[in-house]
Amino acid sequence: MFNSSIRRTAGHLFCDDIRVADIVAEVGTPVYIYSLKRALENYERIRAAFAPLDAHVHFSAKANGSLAVLRALVGAGAGIDAVSGGEVYLALKAGASAENIVFAGVGKTMYELYFAVQQNIGWINLENAREAELLNSIALTAGKTMRVSVRLNPEVHAQTHPHIATGHGGAKFGMTADAVLALYARRAEFPALRFEGLHIHIGSQLGDVEATCRAAQAAVDLARALPTVNTIDIGGGFPVAYKPDAAMPDVSAFAGALAPILAGYQVLLEPGRSIIADAGLLVTRVLYLKEQGGAAQVIVDAGMTDLLRPALYDAYHAIVPVYEANPDAPRRQVNVVGPVCETTDVLARGREIPPVAPNDYLALLTAGAYGMAMSSNYNARPRPPEVVVEPDGKTWRIARRRESWDDLVALES
Ligand code: LLP
């Protein structure tokens, strides 16, 4: 929700020292706005919490692939967690050194593995035995050896939305402990691979420190049987508070509980959401109000094509006016809906918001992670622009321009 960067003063919503209304007046809506200051502070908080473990933080580019965001974090010392050749490319474009890139993903293609070998990517996270064979042969041909982590599926059920839980045995992610042991026993067949790490990631938006600890413990127990393994990559998953009253464990609670378990291992982290979610907002304009069938609909110019999370996960994003003259005005229960031709294009259902009128601006908060990253052109809707407020908090710029109708057809022949 609100924080040191996204805040309200004298009725106006601010992103650091910039009035959100001033950005909107120039750029229009819908628009994503990110506070780089907040993202860097979040990064620094995680880095400091895990400093006693000498952990290295790799920002998970899937949460937000804006080059401006990646560059800021890389500049502050972060590595990048990439899950496709495209994300490896983004990471390199953003200035990450190849050595500081972790390349994961359940279905990497031969070409993606080839690209990673060519670029000397620091860590490749393996997800199955066939992938090990493929990577080994590509690396042998290139005359290189690659450092790998094997992704363990720790068979731990995380308390999170089922769509973003990954650590249970039936999931497609990782390998069970038996499968990891069987692969490791064959390591002489893979002279071009250095088996130095184990990787886990049991899910995202984890409310539960204990489940994460159980997964880390499973990784350490297994690592003891793998003498060449010196590194545990514990993935991402630290939660953020989407609701004003949500009490989520702080990252230091995770760090404190994990420290004794992971002692003696080099630790890698892959946080995405906890770095960028609360640094970002999506601003939208009210188009129409509609009352029928006992429901009040506020129809806005952003929809599931811009922010998919409510439609896909029933996710909650706080919605606040960009300017609020009277904070005591009685609230009304409404649905805030987008213009897309889908019944699920609802940004908020039955939400109490202050009175609004057409042309008012509303901001969806905590939208910096998996917002723009999951946007689409469905209904031939151009994607919104991305604005960054620089780390000084005083200047802003358009980091990605609004797509045009011409952009929509640019790839067609
Ligand atoms: N590492 C791995 C292997 C992952 O699969 C993920 C997220 C992360 C790191 C970063 O996790 P984070 O720190 O952001 O929780 N679209 C969903 C979230 C999907 C997460 C997928 N994997 C959402 O909007 O909630």
Side-chain angles (χ1 to χ4, degrees), residues 328-344:
D328 301 322
R331 320 246 133 186
R332 276 206 70 194
Q333 208 179 65
V334 301
N335 298 326
V336 179
V337 303
V340 175
C341 301
E342 293 278 347
T343 308
T344 57

Side-chain angles (χ1 to χ4, degrees), residues 43-351:
Y43 164 72
E44 188 50 38
R45 190 166 353 95
I46 295 171
R47 203 200 54 73
F50 280 89
L53 283 88
D54 198 22
H56 198 249
V57 178
H58 295 253
F59 174 65
S60 197
K62 66 176 83 62
N64 188 315
S66 161
L67 283 181
V69 169
L70 300 182
R71 280 192 186 117
L73 292 165
V74 166
I80 299 291
D81 158 39
V83 282
S84 67
E87 283 189 358
V88 173
Y89 175 81
L90 286 183
L92 293 168
K93 273 255 173 217
S97 71
E99 190 193 331
N100 280 335
I101 298 173
V102 170
F103 183 21
V106 80
K108 303 179 204 75
T109 65
M110 187 161 78
Y111 180 72
E112 287 177 312
L113 291 171
Y114 172 79
F115 179 59
V117 169
Q118 287 303 314
Q119 299 294 325
N120 301 314
I121 296 309
W123 287 97
I124 315 276
N125 293 353
L126 297 177
E127 298 244 4
N128 68 74
R130 170 72 191 141
E131 190 185 15
E133 293 164 9
L134 205 53
L135 181 64
N136 180 62
S137 64
I138 294 167
L140 269 186
T141 311
K144 297 183 178 182
T145 67
M146 302 300 291
R147 191 167 53 169
V148 298
S149 281
V150 182
R151 179 160 176 185
L152 167 69
N153 184 323
E155 303 187 68
V156 166
H157 283 266
Q159 251 179 25
T160 186
H161 191 282
H163 287 183
I164 53 175
T166 56
H168 49 286
K172 67 178 176 178
F173 298 100
M175 302 168 72
T176 56
D178 286 349
V180 175
L181 285 168
L183 177 66
Y184 191 80
R186 290 174 55 197
R187 69 189 183 285
E189 292 173 41
F190 310 119
L193 306 186
R194 304 192 321 265
F195 287 83
E196 293 185 22
L198 273 184
H199 175 218
I200 47 169
H201 172 82
I202 58 168
S204 199
Q205 186 64 3
L206 302 170
D208 183 359
V209 175
E210 203 255 310
T212 306
C213 287
R214 267 187 287 137
Q217 188 63 56
V220 168
D221 291 346
L222 182 59
R224 295 225 166 87
L226 315 173
T228 57
V229 167
N230 52 36
T231 300
I232 311 273
D233 177 343
I234 63 163
F238 305 132
V240 300
Y242 284 96
K243 294 187 181 171
D245 52 356
M248 284 294 175
D250 191 75
V251 70
S252 56
F254 283 92
L258 285 165
I261 299 171
L262 295 169
Y265 286 94
Q266 167 71 50
V267 175
L268 307 183
L269 309 173
E270 302 171 346
R273 188 192 312 270
S274 49
I275 289 182
I276 196 63
D278 73 3
L281 42 94
L282 172 63
V283 186
T284 185
R285 185 166 63 92
V286 176
L287 299 175
Y288 304 104
L289 306 178
K290 186 184 272 189
E291 300 224 14
Q292 57 189 17
Q297 317 285 356
V298 175
I299 301 165
V300 298
D301 68 358
M304 64 190 287
T305 49
D306 309 296
L307 182 63
L308 182 61
R309 304 191 68 258
L312 192 57
Y313 315 117
D314 222 358
Y316 180 104
H317 286 268
I319 300 186
V320 300
V322 165
Y323 177 68
E324 188 170 33
N326 173 15
D328 301 322
R331 320 246 133 186
R332 276 206 70 194
Q333 208 179 65
V334 301
N335 298 326
V336 179
V337 303
V340 175
C341 301
E342 293 278 347
T343 308
T344 57
D345 184 26
V346 176
L347 295 169
R349 205 180 292 280
R351 189 73 61 83

Side-chain angles (χ1 to χ4, degrees), residues 29-51:
T29 55
V31 55
Y32 274 103
I33 303 174
Y34 310 127
S35 161
L36 293 183
K37 184 163 180 269
R38 178 71 184 172
L40 290 169
E41 284 169 4
N42 287 338
Y43 164 72
E44 188 50 38
R45 190 166 353 95
I46 295 171
R47 203 200 54 73
F50 280 89

Side-chain angles (χ1 to χ4, degrees), residues 1-3 5-8 13-16 18-21 23-24 29-35 38 64 276-284 302 306-307 317-322 362-369 371-372 384-389:
M1 271 264 344
F2 287 120
N3 52 57
S5 285
I6 313 298
R7 61 201 168 77
R8 190 179 294 289
L13 187 64
F14 278 76
C15 179
D16 295 314
I18 310 290
R19 274 204 330 215
V20 168
I23 297 175
V24 167
T29 55
V31 55
Y32 274 103
I33 303 174
Y34 310 127
S35 161
R38 178 71 184 172
N64 188 315
I276 196 63
D278 73 3
L281 42 94
L282 172 63
V283 186
T284 185
D306 309 296
L307 182 63
H317 286 268
I319 300 186
V320 300
V322 165
L362 295 173
L364 288 113
L365 302 185
T366 330
M372 184 65 171
E386 294 178 294
V387 163
V388 291
V389 175

